[in-house]
Amino acid sequence: MERRVAEQLRSALGPLGLEAHAFKVGWYNAVLQPAFHLPYPDDTLAFVVLSTPSMFDKALKPFVNKERLKIIRDPVDQCVSHHLSRVKEKFPEQRVDVMFDYEMLPSRKPKFLAQTAAHVAGAAYYYQRKDVKLDPWGKKKIFGVCIHPKYGGWFAIRGLLLFPAIQVPCLEQPSPVDCVSTEEKRIELLEQFNFHWRDGRYRDIIEVKERYSEEQKAYFATPPAERFRLLGLSQEAQ
């Protein structure tokens, strides 16, 4: 069942520059405090959805051109929401729950921890302070970051698809690719991400096979309120 669902998602999302990676809810819940647990049985099938560099041209720009008058919030969020809602329609016999990376609970906690989900699904390695043996940061707050083995930091985690009626007790957990394997590189990665994230150097901590286009870099480097203009949308749309 998992394989069939995965194939359907691959055929639906792949042409849009999106990837779906399977995991069991129990893998995710096992590494987090109860306050962050997903409220499903451990063997429940879920997928974490990533956007790759090609999503900008394959999904976002066509979506904006088609839905120009209906865009009233962040175009990327609205584009991903549109396509994941369409994916649900491919499973008319199944309940499919969707969670987006920008959604919050009433407690103001995120609905799910995106980087943890990507790590347990084997999609991208979540490098954290605990992955450095000789910690050089003292009392500074250090945030972790996911690195994809193909795209480095040139990707984003967009959402989860959960299939509550599908239980997969025999699903084997893949390990994420440890592509930043030396102590020195991990320190460099976390330094760049935490203290120089605006210049984006952390994204190229490994040799990548694909990165954002110059147009896409300019889009994401622009303050959100001004991105509408770059896509040819009027400010009134916002």
Side-chain angles (χ1 to χ4, degrees), residues 31-221:
V31 296
L32 291 172
Q33 299 291 329
F36 291 103
H37 284 186
L38 294 171
Y40 301 85
D42 283 352
D43 288 335
T44 303
L45 177 63
F47 290 83
V48 61
V49 178
L50 314 180
S51 62
T52 73
S54 66
M55 187 273 283
F56 191 80
D57 286 321
K58 289 180 175 178
L60 180 64
K61 292 203 289 189
F63 173 77
V64 168
N65 288 335
K66 186 179 178 188
E67 306 289 339
R68 185 173 299 277
L69 299 177
K70 298 178 187 174
I71 293 177
I72 56 172
R73 58 175 196 272
D74 182 274
V76 173
D77 290 347
Q78 203 162 332
C79 172
V80 172
S81 173
H82 168 79
H83 286 299
L84 293 191
S85 296
R86 293 281 299 275
V87 163
K88 286 178 66 171
E89 296 169 10
K90 294 187 178 295
F91 302 94
E93 306 300 317
Q94 295 287 347
R95 174 181 150 200
V96 185
D97 293 345
V98 183
M99 295 182 186
F100 297 101
D101 65 301
Y102 53 82
E103 289 185 301
M104 295 285 183
L105 295 167
S107 64
R108 303 305 298 159
K109 286 188 175 76
K111 276 197 171 181
F112 74 100
L113 299 184
Q115 300 200 102
T116 299
H119 186 94
V120 300
Y125 200 108
Y126 184 22
Y127 290 97
Q128 302 176 73
R129 189 174 194 156
K130 64 183 177 62
D131 295 309
V132 173
K133 294 186 181 73
L134 299 174
D135 186 324
W137 298 295
K139 294 182 178 178
K140 289 179 182 173
K141 178 80 171 172
I142 299 294
F143 294 96
V145 60
C146 271
I147 296 295
H148 191 286
K150 183 177 178 181
Y151 307 117
W154 301 101
F155 78 104
I157 303 158
R158 299 296 180 186
L160 297 185
L161 295 169
L162 298 116
F163 293 78
I166 302 178
Q167 301 296 299
V168 284
C170 297
L171 188 64
E172 291 187 16
Q173 185 171 11
S175 297
V177 178
D178 182 5
C179 48
V180 187
S181 54
T182 69
E183 179 91 349
E184 294 73 22
K185 277 289 183 185
R186 290 178 181 185
I187 290 172
E188 182 185 344
L189 169 65
L190 293 174
E191 288 269 346
Q192 288 181 0
F193 180 69
N194 280 272
F195 308 122
H196 309 285
W197 62 270
R198 284 184 185 278
D199 63 26
R201 282 181 297 151
Y202 78 90
R203 299 179 188 272
D204 286 310
I205 195 69
I206 62 169
E207 191 171 328
V208 300
K209 293 184 171 62
E210 194 180 341
R211 58 170 58 84
Y212 292 174
S213 64
E214 292 305 314
E215 180 186 16
Q216 190 170 179
K217 286 180 192 174
Y219 178 82
F220 286 115

